[in-house]
Amino acid sequence: STYLMYRDDEDAMGVWRPAGEIGIINIIPHVGFKIRATTLRYDAPPDEGPYAFEYVPLSVCTSFDILPFFEVPWLRLSLETGLGVYWWKGLYEDEVIVLPDGDTMEERDIGFVAGMTLQINPLPFIGIEYGTRYHYLTSAEPYKYGFLDKDEKLWEFGMGVKFLWNW
């Protein structure tokens, strides 16, 4: 899959990035489980300089089929919610920012994720997916990067191709 990201309340300045997902549906009827990893990048607007943020979220989600009464084998619409670990870094001209105290702007935070996925299966073993997810990262050290430092909110939109394996 590939995703575009919005950061906090700002416009999308991201680029399409790769992602991967492993999932099991119907662990119990209409409930599944997903593990997802992706890389996200947000480039600051040009008038703010060559700043960027890179995120690598690894999330574990529970997936709920929201059309359980609609028995169509080629369509799946699901809601998901879960937790994640987010590795991120601040960049200036594609180099990790070094703070005045010598520390680098690289962190690992935990966060929450919620989203919706629409999957269409044109063939029994191929799925085309459109997904949107909201990530809320809790800052491990509030105000470490200044007074305006805060928990981050990421909104990602993406689409991709899935290979399906039915047991």
Side-chain angles (χ1 to χ4, degrees), residues 6-165:
Y6 290 77
R7 182 173 170 264
D8 292 331
D9 300 325
E10 301 166 358
D11 291 336
M13 295 294 291
V15 294
W16 293 98
R17 304 293 292 235
E21 177 180 281
I22 296 174
I24 301 171
I25 61 172
N26 294 325
I27 291 175
I28 58 174
H30 308 292
V31 177
F33 178 76
K34 294 180 180 182
I35 297 174
R36 179 182 308 106
T38 187
T39 59
L40 303 170
R41 180 180 170 110
Y42 178 84
D43 293 314
D47 60 330
E48 292 183 19
Y51 291 100
F53 290 93
E54 283 188 351
Y55 301 88
V56 179
L58 174 62
S59 57
V60 177
C61 294
T62 303
S63 175
F64 304 94
D65 184 2
I66 60 174
L67 297 175
F69 52 86
F70 194 60
E71 301 272 341
V72 177
W74 54 268
L75 178 69
R76 180 172 172 82
L77 183 62
S78 61
L79 290 176
E80 57 192 57
T81 185
L83 298 170
V85 176
Y86 297 80
W87 289 268
W88 66 270
K89 55 188 167 184
L91 304 173
Y92 181 81
E93 293 182 347
D94 290 329
E95 296 291 326
V96 176
I97 296 172
V98 178
L99 302 173
D101 64 1
D103 200 6
T104 58
M105 197 171 190
E106 295 180 279
E107 297 290 336
R108 181 183 65 218
D109 294 327
I110 60 169
F112 307 96
V113 63
M116 182 181 292
T117 302
L118 173 66
Q119 180 178 304
I120 297 171
N121 305 335
L123 298 171
F125 55 89
I126 298 287
I128 298 170
E129 176 184 273
Y130 174 78
T132 181
R133 286 173 201 86
Y134 178 78
H135 302 267
Y136 186 91
L137 284 69
T138 58
S139 183
E141 297 183 48
Y143 309 113
K144 178 178 180 180
Y145 301 109
F147 183 70
L148 297 177
D149 185 25
K150 57 186 179 274
D151 292 346
E152 295 191 57
K153 300 163 284 295
L154 309 175
W155 193 263
E156 83 181 282
F157 295 93
M159 57 190 311
V161 175
K162 283 186 170 179
F163 297 99
L164 310 171
W165 181 23

